[in-house]
């Protein structure tokens, strides 16, 4: 067989093979399946409170052993995710009276209708008692971030009662002293 005939025979074989392959491609069975409408939504971590002003706004005239009227604030967690709630302050400077002001923070609820902020009428303490009892100065220096804050309940509508008193052992040098302005922060983080 000559080279030309070999080349022509090769072209015929290649052409027939290509035609069969093309025919086979168009004649194949097929099927598909679809999973549509996929969506992912993040959960929420949401906190609110009923405060309309500072709990203790410019309380004056305290003497050793005297207590300020208890004040209550209702904190509501409505997030959809399980979360850990912490209470802390971000105030880095304290007034000289802070070391002599005793603070007790007790979670609970109201036994009846919710009174206007910051009234504690009808307050019922949780069975676990206070979540903090110590000086304001110690709270400000030791509970100043989420990492070292006081763990607080996340039950819906927890009420926190704040009790302030000037220590009976406050020295004469505490006369006229102030705690300075300070704040409380509740922060929830999902678990």
């Amino acid at each position: 067989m000559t080279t030309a005939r070999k080349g022509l025979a090769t072209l015929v074989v290649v052409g027939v093979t290509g035609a069969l392959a093309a025919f086979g491609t168009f004649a194949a069975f097929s099927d598909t399946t679809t999973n549509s409408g996929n969506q992912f939504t993040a959960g929420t971590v949401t906190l609110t409170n009923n405060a309309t002003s500072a709990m203790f706004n410019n309380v004056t005239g305290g003497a050793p052993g005297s207590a300020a009227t208890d004040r209550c604030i209702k904190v509501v967690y409505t997030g959809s995710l399980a979360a850990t709630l912490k209470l802390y302050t971000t105030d880095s400077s304290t007034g000289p009276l802070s070391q002599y002001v005793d603070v007790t923070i007790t979670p609970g609820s109201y036994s009846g209708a919710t009174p206007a902020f910051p009234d504690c009428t009808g307050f019922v303490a949780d069975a676990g008692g206070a979540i903090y009892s110590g000086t304001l100065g110690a709270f400000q220096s030791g509970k100043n971030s989420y990492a070292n804050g006081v763990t607080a309940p996340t039950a819906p509508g927890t009420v926190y009662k704040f009790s302030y008193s000037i220590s009976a052992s406050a020295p004469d040098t505490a006369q006229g002293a102030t705690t300075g302005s300070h704040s409380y922060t509740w922060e929830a983080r999902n678990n």
Side-chain angles (χ1 to χ4, degrees), residues 9-168:
T10 302
L11 284 174
V12 169
V13 170
V14 169
V16 169
T17 304
L20 289 174
F23 177 73
T25 302
F26 293 114
F29 295 114
S30 73
D31 191 15
T32 63
T33 185
T34 304
N35 175 260
S36 59
N38 296 294
Q39 179 177 328
F40 187 86
T41 303
T44 60
V45 175
T46 308
L47 283 174
T48 58
N49 70 61
N50 69 335
T52 55
S53 62
M55 281 188 288
F56 295 91
N57 191 9
N58 201 22
V59 177
T60 60
S66 68
T69 304
D70 292 338
R71 307 290 166 79
C72 288
I73 184 170
K74 185 176 182 178
V75 177
V76 180
Y77 178 76
T78 57
S80 64
L81 299 172
T84 299
L85 182 64
K86 298 279 187 100
L87 171 62
Y88 60 91
T89 185
T90 56
D91 301 322
S92 58
S93 64
T94 61
L97 188 60
S98 295
Q99 62 187 320
Y100 304 112
V101 173
D102 296 319
V103 178
T104 302
I105 304 168
T106 308
S109 59
Y110 291 119
S111 62
T114 301
F117 169 82
D119 191 354
C120 290
T121 301
F123 177 81
V124 178
D126 286 352
I131 57 173
Y132 180 81
S133 186
T135 66
L136 179 59
F139 189 88
Q140 289 172 316
S141 64
K143 308 297 180 192
N144 52 20
S145 71
Y146 183 87
N148 62 15
V150 176
T151 300
T154 56
T158 298
V159 178
Y160 295 89
K161 180 172 81 170
F162 285 73
S163 302
Y164 278 48
S165 63
I166 297 177
S167 173

